[in-house]
Amino acid sequence: MKPQPEITPDTYGRPGHWLPSKKHQTMLHVELEMQQWDGLAGHACPHGQPGDQLWVRETWQHSYFPYEPADPSADIFYRADFLDDPLGADLEHSKDGIRRTWKPSIHLPRWASRIQLEIVRVRVERLQDCSVTDAIDEGIEFSLLDEPEDAIWRYRELWESINGPGSWEANPFVWVIEFKRIEREPS
């Protein structure tokens, strides 16, 4: 079991849990300071800080396969672009039985990524404090015919399908990471 945060002493004024901060080599109080000191929340987040750039990894292949390793001069193909192919993304419906050979996303080099993101804001909030907009931003489908509560309900179902029954009721603190897409300059 990983070491768990210690309970704060009553002498601090507000007992609760503490998390380590890599930036300041100190402990941050999740329930109070991270909500009030917006800048420090970004430094404590294990997923990145505002200004950090991320790249999205996808299942892929390159034009030199299988004869040469991939390099920046190769054409890159992404499996997601073949999902509407009548023969299937893996050619599973082809008559000759040939299959496409894809490389797993974990092997996609940064130079081959077509989606770059920049973290613009990091904060901490309770899971159940998410809004309808937050739920939609998480990928929940929502139309104008739906009631606003429907988006939250669908997000709750998604959360529990990933984290297990009762995880929504636990109402844990969660990292909220806002990012923007960085448009690459054509090469």
Side-chain angles (χ1 to χ4, degrees):
M1 176 183 218
K2 292 183 178 180
Q4 299 298 307
E6 296 180 18
I7 301 296
T8 61
D10 290 334
T11 57
Y12 179 73
R14 181 175 169 150
H17 294 284
W18 291 73
L19 288 178
S21 167
K22 295 178 185 174
K23 181 70 174 181
H24 297 285
Q25 298 301 311
T26 185
M27 305 300 276
L28 294 177
H29 192 266
V30 172
E31 296 168 357
L32 181 62
E33 279 81 358
M34 291 182 93
Q35 291 297 326
Q36 295 176 354
W37 302 343
D38 192 59
L40 289 180
H43 296 302
C45 180
H47 308 292
Q49 304 174 20
D52 286 355
Q53 291 188 0
L54 313 171
W55 74 96
V56 177
R57 295 180 176 186
E58 301 178 71
T59 303
W60 67 293
Q61 192 49 271
H62 60 88
S63 57
Y64 298 157
F65 179 81
Y67 306 107
E68 296 179 35
D71 67 44
S73 68
D75 291 327
I76 305 297
F77 307 103
Y78 304 94
R79 187 176 186 276
D81 292 339
F82 291 86
L83 296 178
D84 292 333
D85 188 321
L87 298 178
D90 300 319
L91 292 177
E92 62 266 24
H93 304 299
S94 66
K95 293 179 182 172
D96 57 10
I98 296 174
R99 312 243 336 145
R100 288 190 177 109
T101 305
W102 297 106
K103 291 182 175 280
S105 59
I106 61 169
H107 298 297
L108 180 73
R110 186 172 196 144
W111 60 261
S113 174
R114 61 180 171 175
I115 303 173
Q116 305 286 321
L117 306 172
E118 180 179 340
I119 297 175
V120 294
R121 186 166 180 234
V122 175
R123 68 182 190 278
V124 175
E125 69 181 23
R126 290 282 192 178
L127 174 62
Q128 293 180 18
D129 290 341
C130 76
S131 66
V132 172
T133 303
D134 293 334
I136 293 169
D137 288 346
E138 290 292 330
I140 299 301
E141 293 183 13
F142 182 76
S143 74
L144 296 176
L145 301 175
D146 293 332
E147 294 293 323
E149 298 80 30
D150 291 344
I152 301 295
W153 183 255
R154 290 182 191 140
Y155 183 57
R156 175 186 177 152
E157 289 176 335
L158 174 64
W159 181 270
E160 289 198 340
S161 73
I162 295 169
N163 298 290
S167 57
W168 179 266
E169 287 82 12
N171 199 21
F173 283 102
V174 294
W175 290 105
V176 180
I177 303 169
E178 296 176 16
F179 52 85
K180 65 179 179 182
R181 188 170 180 163
I182 300 171
E183 296 301 326
R184 285 187 165 184
E185 307 227 357
S187 43

